[in-house]
Amino acid sequence: MAGKSELAVEEIDARPVRQRASAPGWLGGWLLSGWGLRLLSVVALLAAWQWYGSRPEVFAVAPFTDVFRELLEMVLSGRILEPTIGTLAIATQGFLWAAVVGIVVGFVTGLSKLARTTLDPLINALYTAPVSMLIPVIGIWIGLNVRGKVFLVFLTAVFAVIANTSAGVREVDPNLVETARSFGARRWSLYRNVILPWSAPFILIGLRLAVGRAIRGAIVADILLITDNLGRFLLEAGSTFNMSVLLAGIVFTMLLGYALMELAKKVEQSLMSWKPSQYE
Amino acid sequence: MSAPPFPARGRIAAGTRKTLSRKWVQRLLVWGAIIIAWEIFGRRVGPFFFASFTQTMGGLRELVVSGDIWVLGESIQQMLSGYLLAAVVGIPVGLLMGASRKFRHVLEPYVNLMFVASMEALLPFLIILFGVGFQFRTMVVFLFSVLYVVLNTQAGVRNIDSQLIETARSFRAPAWRIFKDVMLPGTLPYILAGLRLALGMALQGMIIAELWVQTQTGALLFGLAEFRALDRFLALVLVIMILGALATEALFWVQRKAAPWARDLATPGR
């Protein structure tokens, strides 16, 4: 405990000096500074992976070079393209439904005080609930097909949109609404010109979270509901113990999710470039 | 997020009591209406596709009488082991990442990548590594929840006002006291928020892992759906939902009690 605390305090204390300290004077200094350390850690990690994966008695982990070759091969040959499009199509449909329904429902529950007191606990409960527990009945309710998957994605993503939209509507400065009213703004004009733009940052946060949830929901659907697309790609590699293909598929899927989240973040930032300074 | 001006303490109590009772009257009315709508919908659609509220309550009684509900208890026990592991690993890592630039620089890319990437893709690999037993389920729960603890703890450390630490140092406070009296209280609400968010994720990990290897609650859910015992199925789903909501609410309460000075936190979420 004591050792950790000393380290922590020393580092916090060094904060103001950071700008001065970050200029690398010599190679060793650079290697121990931020990016050098980062690079070193990646190299060390990959080397450890390579060493561990190449040991003859280890079968569950393929060496890094094999996985990397496999990853290049599946991307360059286009073998991964079709499953990716399949999974993304499901994620996109579910996301669009979640966006439309979520914004409308969130707007209504945000505006109404009654809805806020009565529906908020339910929405929060649904937001934290593990939606995947409905997987066994989706076949009964919707069908074991693409529509069932889209429904699962929708359920996974929609509550993030609802919760953030209604939070955004509530964050609108009441003084602004007062002012708009006193200048004669009618209901729809108030919604469109005051409440919607002011809650937009929150809605966009909800939509960004929904992008991540939609992709994850689509992958769960492709693994657990009906095996297809990227889910089938992974499960087939796993069931034949083709570890380099399996690991390459996992790396690809995770990078795909990462890339889409980064894209969503960029879109959010560019849409919000006009935003008022208090949202910084 | 502007805080309303504080009225005198007594007036708060009287005022909130009134609005509290009105709030609950409204809730009872609206929730009652939802339950009635559920009842009508369930009866119209028929037990082959859905279950009405009364049927679901009957299903709940059956689950309790037959003892099937205790499977959920076992699942939750196992989930808690993964969740505790996430707390035990996540809090120190988060503290280190928040306090030390070097740690943060090294770990940040991995943590961020894992946080937004689809952890579900790892399932086929985890099952080969750990089999279908206790280890597998614990690992899934751990991986689903640990990053929330790490990121929130880190955010907490980084949000501490550096002037507070400067002040403490200028009064020659020893390092352990700065840690205990400045850093820990400042970070605590964030740690608790992280633990709260992580609990929801742990529950998701538990359900997904058990559905996949078809044991315990996962097997029960599949079995009930297969036999079209939708009354019991919906009762089980309802119980899981309510338990999750209550646990989250309880952690919220702890957060408010343990750190009443922290009002609203901007917490990393997914």
PDB file of all heavy atoms in Angstrom, chain A residues 246-276:
ATOM      1  N   LEU A 246      -9.128 -19.038 -36.156  1.00  0.00           N
ATOM      2  CA  LEU A 246     -10.004 -18.552 -35.095  1.00  0.00           C
ATOM      3  C   LEU A 246      -9.482 -17.239 -34.516  1.00  0.00           C
ATOM      4  O   LEU A 246     -10.216 -16.254 -34.412  1.00  0.00           O
ATOM      5  CB  LEU A 246     -10.133 -19.601 -33.989  1.00  0.00           C
ATOM      6  CG  LEU A 246     -10.921 -19.137 -32.753  1.00  0.00           C
ATOM      7  CD1 LEU A 246     -12.351 -18.808 -33.112  1.00  0.00           C
ATOM      8  CD2 LEU A 246     -10.891 -20.191 -31.657  1.00  0.00           C
ATOM      9  N   LEU A 247      -8.188 -17.222 -34.170  1.00  0.00           N
ATOM     10  CA  LEU A 247      -7.633 -16.009 -33.559  1.00  0.00           C
ATOM     11  C   LEU A 247      -7.639 -14.853 -34.551  1.00  0.00           C
ATOM     12  O   LEU A 247      -7.941 -13.715 -34.189  1.00  0.00           O
ATOM     13  CB  LEU A 247      -6.218 -16.278 -33.043  1.00  0.00           C
ATOM     14  CG  LEU A 247      -6.187 -17.118 -31.768  1.00  0.00           C
ATOM     15  CD1 LEU A 247      -4.760 -17.472 -31.390  1.00  0.00           C
ATOM     16  CD2 LEU A 247      -6.853 -16.380 -30.621  1.00  0.00           C
ATOM     17  N   ALA A 248      -7.340 -15.148 -35.826  1.00  0.00           N
ATOM     18  CA  ALA A 248      -7.375 -14.084 -36.829  1.00  0.00           C
ATOM     19  C   ALA A 248      -8.799 -13.534 -36.954  1.00  0.00           C
ATOM     20  O   ALA A 248      -9.006 -12.318 -37.043  1.00  0.00           O
ATOM     21  CB  ALA A 248      -6.880 -14.603 -38.171  1.00  0.00           C
ATOM     22  N   GLY A 249      -9.788 -14.431 -36.920  1.00  0.00           N
ATOM     23  CA  GLY A 249     -11.178 -13.995 -37.003  1.00  0.00           C
ATOM     24  C   GLY A 249     -11.564 -13.130 -35.809  1.00  0.00           C
ATOM     25  O   GLY A 249     -12.254 -12.119 -35.951  1.00  0.00           O
ATOM     26  N   ILE A 250     -11.084 -13.534 -34.631  1.00  0.00           N
ATOM     27  CA  ILE A 250     -11.399 -12.751 -33.429  1.00  0.00           C
ATOM     28  C   ILE A 250     -10.765 -11.369 -33.521  1.00  0.00           C
ATOM     29  O   ILE A 250     -11.408 -10.353 -33.269  1.00  0.00           O
ATOM     30  CB  ILE A 250     -10.913 -13.497 -32.166  1.00  0.00           C
ATOM     31  CG1 ILE A 250     -11.804 -14.717 -31.914  1.00  0.00           C
ATOM     32  CG2 ILE A 250     -10.938 -12.570 -30.958  1.00  0.00           C
ATOM     33  CD1 ILE A 250     -11.306 -15.600 -30.809  1.00  0.00           C
ATOM     34  N   VAL A 251      -9.485 -11.341 -33.911  1.00  0.00           N
ATOM     35  CA  VAL A 251      -8.806 -10.044 -34.039  1.00  0.00           C
ATOM     36  C   VAL A 251      -9.547  -9.184 -35.048  1.00  0.00           C
ATOM     37  O   VAL A 251      -9.800  -7.992 -34.812  1.00  0.00           O
ATOM     38  CB  VAL A 251      -7.334 -10.247 -34.457  1.00  0.00           C
ATOM     39  CG1 VAL A 251      -6.695  -8.924 -34.836  1.00  0.00           C
ATOM     40  CG2 VAL A 251      -6.551 -10.900 -33.337  1.00  0.00           C
ATOM     41  N   PHE A 252      -9.934  -9.782 -36.166  1.00  0.00           N
ATOM     42  CA  PHE A 252     -10.657  -9.020 -37.186  1.00  0.00           C
ATOM     43  C   PHE A 252     -11.962  -8.461 -36.627  1.00  0.00           C
ATOM     44  O   PHE A 252     -12.275  -7.278 -36.788  1.00  0.00           O
ATOM     45  CB  PHE A 252     -10.947  -9.904 -38.407  1.00  0.00           C
ATOM     46  CG  PHE A 252     -11.752  -9.213 -39.464  1.00  0.00           C
ATOM     47  CD1 PHE A 252     -11.128  -8.388 -40.384  1.00  0.00           C
ATOM     48  CD2 PHE A 252     -13.130  -9.360 -39.517  1.00  0.00           C
ATOM     49  CE1 PHE A 252     -11.865  -7.715 -41.342  1.00  0.00           C
ATOM     50  CE2 PHE A 252     -13.876  -8.697 -40.481  1.00  0.00           C
ATOM     51  CZ  PHE A 252     -13.240  -7.877 -41.391  1.00  0.00           C
ATOM     52  N   THR A 253     -12.742  -9.321 -35.952  1.00  0.00           N
ATOM     53  CA  THR A 253     -14.035  -8.881 -35.436  1.00  0.00           C
ATOM     54  C   THR A 253     -13.874  -7.764 -34.414  1.00  0.00           C
ATOM     55  O   THR A 253     -14.623  -6.784 -34.420  1.00  0.00           O
ATOM     56  CB  THR A 253     -14.762 -10.070 -34.794  1.00  0.00           C
ATOM     57  OG1 THR A 253     -14.746 -11.161 -35.705  1.00  0.00           O
ATOM     58  CG2 THR A 253     -16.184  -9.723 -34.468  1.00  0.00           C
ATOM     59  N   MET A 254     -12.878  -7.906 -33.540  1.00  0.00           N
ATOM     60  CA  MET A 254     -12.694  -6.875 -32.522  1.00  0.00           C
ATOM     61  C   MET A 254     -12.221  -5.568 -33.142  1.00  0.00           C
ATOM     62  O   MET A 254     -12.683  -4.491 -32.762  1.00  0.00           O
ATOM     63  CB  MET A 254     -11.700  -7.365 -31.457  1.00  0.00           C
ATOM     64  CG  MET A 254     -12.266  -8.541 -30.671  1.00  0.00           C
ATOM     65  SD  MET A 254     -11.172  -9.134 -29.382  1.00  0.00           S
ATOM     66  CE  MET A 254     -11.714  -8.156 -28.013  1.00  0.00           C
ATOM     67  N   LEU A 255     -11.324  -5.670 -34.141  1.00  0.00           N
ATOM     68  CA  LEU A 255     -10.872  -4.451 -34.811  1.00  0.00           C
ATOM     69  C   LEU A 255     -12.017  -3.799 -35.578  1.00  0.00           C
ATOM     70  O   LEU A 255     -12.115  -2.571 -35.640  1.00  0.00           O
ATOM     71  CB  LEU A 255      -9.709  -4.755 -35.764  1.00  0.00           C
ATOM     72  CG  LEU A 255      -8.375  -5.048 -35.087  1.00  0.00           C
ATOM     73  CD1 LEU A 255      -7.326  -5.389 -36.131  1.00  0.00           C
ATOM     74  CD2 LEU A 255      -7.911  -3.862 -34.256  1.00  0.00           C
ATOM     75  N   LEU A 256     -12.896  -4.630 -36.132  1.00  0.00           N
ATOM     76  CA  LEU A 256     -14.055  -4.096 -36.844  1.00  0.00           C
ATOM     77  C   LEU A 256     -14.916  -3.269 -35.894  1.00  0.00           C
ATOM     78  O   LEU A 256     -15.301  -2.131 -36.202  1.00  0.00           O
ATOM     79  CB  LEU A 256     -14.875  -5.258 -37.432  1.00  0.00           C
ATOM     80  CG  LEU A 256     -16.147  -4.880 -38.172  1.00  0.00           C
ATOM     81  CD1 LEU A 256     -15.802  -4.288 -39.524  1.00  0.00           C
ATOM     82  CD2 LEU A 256     -17.057  -6.089 -38.336  1.00  0.00           C
ATOM     83  N   GLY A 257     -15.196  -3.826 -34.718  1.00  0.00           N
ATOM     84  CA  GLY A 257     -15.980  -3.090 -33.728  1.00  0.00           C
ATOM     85  C   GLY A 257     -15.284  -1.803 -33.322  1.00  0.00           C
ATOM     86  O   GLY A 257     -15.906  -0.741 -33.234  1.00  0.00           O
ATOM     87  N   TYR A 258     -13.973  -1.890 -33.124  1.00  0.00           N
ATOM     88  CA  TYR A 258     -13.199  -0.715 -32.734  1.00  0.00           C
ATOM     89  C   TYR A 258     -13.273   0.358 -33.816  1.00  0.00           C
ATOM     90  O   TYR A 258     -13.534   1.534 -33.534  1.00  0.00           O
ATOM     91  CB  TYR A 258     -11.751  -1.131 -32.480  1.00  0.00           C
ATOM     92  CG  TYR A 258     -10.862  -0.013 -32.026  1.00  0.00           C
ATOM     93  CD1 TYR A 258     -11.020   0.539 -30.762  1.00  0.00           C
ATOM     94  CD2 TYR A 258      -9.871   0.488 -32.848  1.00  0.00           C
ATOM     95  CE1 TYR A 258     -10.208   1.572 -30.336  1.00  0.00           C
ATOM     96  CE2 TYR A 258      -9.051   1.519 -32.430  1.00  0.00           C
ATOM     97  CZ  TYR A 258      -9.220   2.055 -31.175  1.00  0.00           C
ATOM     98  OH  TYR A 258      -8.423   3.072 -30.757  1.00  0.00           O
ATOM     99  N   ALA A 259     -13.087  -0.068 -35.074  1.00  0.00           N
ATOM    100  CA  ALA A 259     -13.085   0.893 -36.177  1.00  0.00           C
ATOM    101  C   ALA A 259     -14.444   1.581 -36.286  1.00  0.00           C
ATOM    102  O   ALA A 259     -14.525   2.803 -36.465  1.00  0.00           O
ATOM    103  CB  ALA A 259     -12.751   0.187 -37.490  1.00  0.00           C
ATOM    104  N   LEU A 260     -15.514   0.804 -36.129  1.00  0.00           N
ATOM    105  CA  LEU A 260     -16.839   1.405 -36.257  1.00  0.00           C
ATOM    106  C   LEU A 260     -17.120   2.381 -35.119  1.00  0.00           C
ATOM    107  O   LEU A 260     -17.739   3.430 -35.325  1.00  0.00           O
ATOM    108  CB  LEU A 260     -17.911   0.320 -36.305  1.00  0.00           C
ATOM    109  CG  LEU A 260     -17.949  -0.424 -37.628  1.00  0.00           C
ATOM    110  CD1 LEU A 260     -18.789  -1.667 -37.529  1.00  0.00           C
ATOM    111  CD2 LEU A 260     -18.485   0.488 -38.718  1.00  0.00           C
ATOM    112  N   MET A 261     -16.643   2.049 -33.911  1.00  0.00           N
ATOM    113  CA  MET A 261     -16.836   2.971 -32.802  1.00  0.00           C
ATOM    114  C   MET A 261     -16.052   4.258 -33.017  1.00  0.00           C
ATOM    115  O   MET A 261     -16.525   5.342 -32.704  1.00  0.00           O
ATOM    116  CB  MET A 261     -16.394   2.315 -31.485  1.00  0.00           C
ATOM    117  CG  MET A 261     -17.410   1.352 -30.912  1.00  0.00           C
ATOM    118  SD  MET A 261     -18.984   2.146 -30.559  1.00  0.00           S
ATOM    119  CE  MET A 261     -18.630   2.914 -28.992  1.00  0.00           C
ATOM    120  N   GLU A 262     -14.829   4.117 -33.555  1.00  0.00           N
ATOM    121  CA  GLU A 262     -14.031   5.309 -33.835  1.00  0.00           C
ATOM    122  C   GLU A 262     -14.729   6.172 -34.885  1.00  0.00           C
ATOM    123  O   GLU A 262     -14.776   7.395 -34.781  1.00  0.00           O
ATOM    124  CB  GLU A 262     -12.637   4.911 -34.338  1.00  0.00           C
ATOM    125  CG  GLU A 262     -11.719   4.405 -33.246  1.00  0.00           C
ATOM    126  CD  GLU A 262     -11.398   5.482 -32.216  1.00  0.00           C
ATOM    127  OE1 GLU A 262     -10.975   6.575 -32.617  1.00  0.00           O
ATOM    128  OE2 GLU A 262     -11.603   5.223 -31.016  1.00  0.00           O
ATOM    129  N   LEU A 263     -15.291   5.488 -35.901  1.00  0.00           N
ATOM    130  CA  LEU A 263     -16.016   6.199 -36.953  1.00  0.00           C
ATOM    131  C   LEU A 263     -17.196   6.947 -36.343  1.00  0.00           C
ATOM    132  O   LEU A 263     -17.425   8.126 -36.634  1.00  0.00           O
ATOM    133  CB  LEU A 263     -16.495   5.196 -38.002  1.00  0.00           C
ATOM    134  CG  LEU A 263     -17.181   5.790 -39.227  1.00  0.00           C
ATOM    135  CD1 LEU A 263     -16.157   6.502 -40.088  1.00  0.00           C
ATOM    136  CD2 LEU A 263     -17.891   4.708 -40.020  1.00  0.00           C
ATOM    137  N   ALA A 264     -17.937   6.268 -35.470  1.00  0.00           N
ATOM    138  CA  ALA A 264     -19.087   6.906 -34.836  1.00  0.00           C
ATOM    139  C   ALA A 264     -18.646   8.120 -34.021  1.00  0.00           C
ATOM    140  O   ALA A 264     -19.305   9.153 -34.003  1.00  0.00           O
ATOM    141  CB  ALA A 264     -19.815   5.901 -33.941  1.00  0.00           C
ATOM    142  N   LYS A 265     -17.488   7.985 -33.360  1.00  0.00           N
ATOM    143  CA  LYS A 265     -16.981   9.103 -32.565  1.00  0.00           C
ATOM    144  C   LYS A 265     -16.655  10.290 -33.466  1.00  0.00           C
ATOM    145  O   LYS A 265     -16.983  11.432 -33.162  1.00  0.00           O
ATOM    146  CB  LYS A 265     -15.719   8.642 -31.811  1.00  0.00           C
ATOM    147  CG  LYS A 265     -15.599   9.260 -30.428  1.00  0.00           C
ATOM    148  CD  LYS A 265     -14.220   9.048 -29.861  1.00  0.00           C
ATOM    149  CE  LYS A 265     -14.059   7.744 -29.124  1.00  0.00           C
ATOM    150  NZ  LYS A 265     -12.705   7.532 -28.611  1.00  0.00           N
ATOM    151  N   LYS A 266     -16.008   9.985 -34.616  1.00  0.00           N
ATOM    152  CA  LYS A 266     -15.654  11.052 -35.553  1.00  0.00           C
ATOM    153  C   LYS A 266     -16.907  11.752 -36.063  1.00  0.00           C
ATOM    154  O   LYS A 266     -16.972  12.978 -36.127  1.00  0.00           O
ATOM    155  CB  LYS A 266     -14.879  10.467 -36.741  1.00  0.00           C
ATOM    156  CG  LYS A 266     -13.435  10.135 -36.423  1.00  0.00           C
ATOM    157  CD  LYS A 266     -12.566  11.353 -36.538  1.00  0.00           C
ATOM    158  CE  LYS A 266     -11.138  11.120 -36.093  1.00  0.00           C
ATOM    159  NZ  LYS A 266     -10.909  10.214 -35.002  1.00  0.00           N
ATOM    160  N   VAL A 267     -17.920  10.944 -36.458  1.00  0.00           N
ATOM    161  CA  VAL A 267     -19.157  11.521 -36.969  1.00  0.00           C
ATOM    162  C   VAL A 267     -19.788  12.404 -35.900  1.00  0.00           C
ATOM    163  O   VAL A 267     -20.211  13.539 -36.168  1.00  0.00           O
ATOM    164  CB  VAL A 267     -20.131  10.406 -37.399  1.00  0.00           C
ATOM    165  CG1 VAL A 267     -21.503  10.979 -37.699  1.00  0.00           C
ATOM    166  CG2 VAL A 267     -19.588   9.674 -38.602  1.00  0.00           C
ATOM    167  N   GLU A 268     -19.797  11.900 -34.664  1.00  0.00           N
ATOM    168  CA  GLU A 268     -20.374  12.668 -33.566  1.00  0.00           C
ATOM    169  C   GLU A 268     -19.655  14.009 -33.418  1.00  0.00           C
ATOM    170  O   GLU A 268     -20.282  15.056 -33.304  1.00  0.00           O
ATOM    171  CB  GLU A 268     -20.274  11.862 -32.273  1.00  0.00           C
ATOM    172  CG  GLU A 268     -20.966  12.525 -31.102  1.00  0.00           C
ATOM    173  CD  GLU A 268     -20.532  11.938 -29.793  1.00  0.00           C
ATOM    174  OE1 GLU A 268     -20.075  10.783 -29.777  1.00  0.00           O
ATOM    175  OE2 GLU A 268     -20.649  12.618 -28.769  1.00  0.00           O
ATOM    176  N   GLN A 269     -18.302  13.935 -33.443  1.00  0.00           N
ATOM    177  CA  GLN A 269     -17.533  15.168 -33.264  1.00  0.00           C
ATOM    178  C   GLN A 269     -17.792  16.157 -34.386  1.00  0.00           C
ATOM    179  O   GLN A 269     -17.952  17.356 -34.152  1.00  0.00           O
ATOM    180  CB  GLN A 269     -16.041  14.854 -33.184  1.00  0.00           C
ATOM    181  CG  GLN A 269     -15.628  14.420 -31.783  1.00  0.00           C
ATOM    182  CD  GLN A 269     -14.286  13.725 -31.780  1.00  0.00           C
ATOM    183  OE1 GLN A 269     -13.632  13.633 -32.815  1.00  0.00           O
ATOM    184  NE2 GLN A 269     -13.884  13.237 -30.624  1.00  0.00           N
ATOM    185  N   SER A 270     -17.871  15.646 -35.635  1.00  0.00           N
ATOM    186  CA  SER A 270     -18.033  16.590 -36.738  1.00  0.00           C
ATOM    187  C   SER A 270     -19.447  17.176 -36.714  1.00  0.00           C
ATOM    188  O   SER A 270     -19.637  18.346 -37.044  1.00  0.00           O
ATOM    189  CB  SER A 270     -17.755  15.900 -38.067  1.00  0.00           C
ATOM    190  OG  SER A 270     -18.793  15.006 -38.355  1.00  0.00           O
ATOM    191  N   LEU A 271     -20.433  16.384 -36.284  1.00  0.00           N
ATOM    192  CA  LEU A 271     -21.789  16.925 -36.190  1.00  0.00           C
ATOM    193  C   LEU A 271     -21.896  17.938 -35.063  1.00  0.00           C
ATOM    194  O   LEU A 271     -22.698  18.852 -35.100  1.00  0.00           O
ATOM    195  CB  LEU A 271     -22.793  15.797 -35.953  1.00  0.00           C
ATOM    196  CG  LEU A 271     -23.143  14.946 -37.161  1.00  0.00           C
ATOM    197  CD1 LEU A 271     -24.066  13.830 -36.768  1.00  0.00           C
ATOM    198  CD2 LEU A 271     -23.778  15.805 -38.235  1.00  0.00           C
ATOM    199  N   MET A 272     -21.066  17.748 -34.027  1.00  0.00           N
ATOM    200  CA  MET A 272     -21.175  18.621 -32.864  1.00  0.00           C
ATOM    201  C   MET A 272     -20.160  19.747 -32.880  1.00  0.00           C
ATOM    202  O   MET A 272     -19.937  20.384 -31.868  1.00  0.00           O
ATOM    203  CB  MET A 272     -20.988  17.823 -31.575  1.00  0.00           C
ATOM    204  CG  MET A 272     -22.174  16.996 -31.166  1.00  0.00           C
ATOM    205  SD  MET A 272     -23.748  17.747 -31.552  1.00  0.00           S
ATOM    206  CE  MET A 272     -23.668  19.229 -30.585  1.00  0.00           C
ATOM    207  N   SER A 273     -19.541  20.005 -34.066  1.00  0.00           N
ATOM    208  CA  SER A 273     -18.480  21.002 -34.076  1.00  0.00           C
ATOM    209  C   SER A 273     -19.022  22.389 -33.744  1.00  0.00           C
ATOM    210  O   SER A 273     -18.281  23.261 -33.327  1.00  0.00           O
ATOM    211  CB  SER A 273     -17.808  21.019 -35.450  1.00  0.00           C
ATOM    212  OG  SER A 273     -18.794  21.136 -36.441  1.00  0.00           O
ATOM    213  N   TRP A 274     -20.328  22.592 -33.863  1.00  0.00           N
ATOM    214  CA  TRP A 274     -20.915  23.902 -33.560  1.00  0.00           C
ATOM    215  C   TRP A 274     -21.320  24.033 -32.106  1.00  0.00           C
ATOM    216  O   TRP A 274     -21.748  25.085 -31.678  1.00  0.00           O
ATOM    217  CB  TRP A 274     -22.171  24.102 -34.407  1.00  0.00           C
ATOM    218  CG  TRP A 274     -23.181  23.019 -34.180  1.00  0.00           C
ATOM    219  CD1 TRP A 274     -23.244  21.835 -34.836  1.00  0.00           C
ATOM    220  CD2 TRP A 274     -24.225  22.997 -33.209  1.00  0.00           C
ATOM    221  NE1 TRP A 274     -24.273  21.077 -34.330  1.00  0.00           N
ATOM    222  CE2 TRP A 274     -24.889  21.770 -33.336  1.00  0.00           C
ATOM    223  CE3 TRP A 274     -24.667  23.917 -32.242  1.00  0.00           C
ATOM    224  CZ2 TRP A 274     -25.963  21.416 -32.529  1.00  0.00           C
ATOM    225  CZ3 TRP A 274     -25.738  23.559 -31.449  1.00  0.00           C
ATOM    226  CH2 TRP A 274     -26.375  22.310 -31.591  1.00  0.00           C
ATOM    227  N   LYS A 275     -21.125  22.932 -31.328  1.00  0.00           N
ATOM    228  CA  LYS A 275     -21.824  22.881 -30.053  1.00  0.00           C
ATOM    229  C   LYS A 275     -21.388  23.982 -29.088  1.00  0.00           C
ATOM    230  O   LYS A 275     -20.237  24.425 -29.116  1.00  0.00           O
ATOM    231  CB  LYS A 275     -21.646  21.522 -29.389  1.00  0.00           C
ATOM    232  CG  LYS A 275     -20.283  21.274 -28.800  1.00  0.00           C
ATOM    233  CD  LYS A 275     -20.235  19.876 -28.258  1.00  0.00           C
ATOM    234  CE  LYS A 275     -18.813  19.447 -27.994  1.00  0.00           C
ATOM    235  NZ  LYS A 275     -18.748  18.059 -27.596  1.00  0.00           N
ATOM    236  N   PRO A 276     -22.304  24.404 -28.227  1.00  0.00           N
ATOM    237  CA  PRO A 276     -21.994  25.446 -27.256  1.00  0.00           C
ATOM    238  C   PRO A 276     -20.864  25.009 -26.342  1.00  0.00           C
ATOM    239  O   PRO A 276     -20.699  23.821 -26.068  1.00  0.00           O
ATOM    240  CB  PRO A 276     -23.289  25.587 -26.456  1.00  0.00           C
ATOM    241  CG  PRO A 276     -24.325  24.864 -27.208  1.00  0.00           C
ATOM    242  CD  PRO A 276     -23.667  23.899 -28.114  1.00  0.00           C
TER     243      PRO A 276
END
